[in-house]
Amino acid sequence: MQVFIGNIRGNFAELTTEESQHFTKVLRGKIGKEIYVTDGKGNLGKGIVSQINSKSVEVEIKELIKNYGQRNYRIHVAIAPTKNMERTEFFLEKATEIGIDEITFLKSFNSERRNIKIERCAKITQSSVKVSIKTYIPQINDLVKFSDFVKKDFAETKLIGHCNEEIQRKEFQEIIQPKKDYLILIGPEGDFSKDEIELALQNGFTGISLGNQRLRTETAAL
């Protein structure tokens, strides 16, 4: 199954400019080829390429599956990006494959990275969606100060993973329940500061432990 990203409108879909160029110039795709198109919002269309021009590829949709792969829960991970961006990009790729719905980057006290290229992140998640045959592209949010983020209102159950043994934590497995939505905070390699953890707890977050092993940031998040 060859999946492309595009805008689906009724019985037709138009591939994005980048996808159109990949189809025509890299894959040497032709009119009449059967492909699958997703809009990244849960729709998967099976169709035939009906038109090709210099900047776009149009597909006639023969079959449309709505809410393809939809789940009955939602996961939002807020993570302090790693100094080595390749490790954060690895997280983005794998998080998309396993079905994370939303990702927010946090600027915390111990953060070593202070900037993120959102466009680059979006390309990684879109590519991962195609490879893993997903139809939902995660929402990616730019860097935000930890103190500002934890004060916002969220509908999900709010959890903060940390390693401070002086502050009460619950085992992750004891909290998670089926069919519920969760927001989980994952800190940098140096962990969240004590003040940050306490601020999160004051704003309705529950402290959690991911076990006795020492995990890299991207591993803990996954």
Side-chain angles (χ1 to χ4, degrees), residues 110-123:
N110 290 320
S111 290
E112 295 186 274
R113 173 166 289 278
R114 300 288 172 172
N115 59 78
I116 288 288
K117 295 180 179 179
I118 290 296
E119 291 185 0
R120 167 69 178 167
C121 294
K123 287 182 179 180

Side-chain angles (χ1 to χ4, degrees), residues 18-65:
E18 186 174 349
E19 290 287 80
S20 295
Q21 292 176 347
H22 180 72
F23 178 81
T24 56
K25 296 181 179 180
V26 179
L27 301 178
R28 306 294 182 185
K30 304 293 183 182
I31 291 176
K33 182 173 178 59
E34 182 179 272
I35 65 172
Y36 289 82
V37 182
T38 180
D39 57 4
K41 300 175 182 178
N43 295 309
L44 180 67
K46 178 181 179 182
I48 304 295
V49 174
S50 57
Q51 185 176 326
I52 297 176
N53 59 44
S54 58
K55 292 185 178 180
S56 68
V57 171
E58 191 173 88
V59 180
E60 183 179 356
I61 300 298
K62 300 295 185 180
E63 180 184 357
L64 181 64
I65 305 173

Side-chain angles (χ1 to χ4, degrees), residues 89-168:
E89 291 179 355
F90 170 84
F91 162 71
L92 288 171
E93 180 182 277
K94 301 309 174 187
T96 303
E97 290 179 10
I98 64 177
I100 302 299
D101 300 283
E102 185 173 357
I103 298 166
T104 297
F105 292 111
L106 293 176
K107 186 187 298 182
S108 73
F109 181 78
N110 290 320
S111 290
E112 295 186 274
R113 173 166 289 278
R114 300 288 172 172
N115 59 78
I116 288 288
K117 295 180 179 179
I118 290 296
E119 291 185 0
R120 167 69 178 167
C121 294
K123 287 182 179 180
I124 291 171
T125 55
Q126 289 179 18
S127 176
S128 187
V129 159
K130 294 190 296 179
V131 171
S132 57
I133 315 178
K134 299 286 185 180
T135 59
Y136 291 93
I137 298 175
Q139 177 181 333
I140 307 294
N141 303 316
D142 207 348
L143 268 173
V144 59
K145 278 185 66 175
F146 178 92
S147 57
D148 293 336
F149 184 78
V150 297
K151 294 176 183 177
K152 294 181 179 181
D153 292 327
F154 296 99
E156 303 100 334
T157 298
K158 302 184 296 185
L159 308 176
I160 176 170
H162 67 85
C163 303
N164 193 321
E165 296 181 355
E166 297 178 1
I167 301 177
Q168 186 176 10

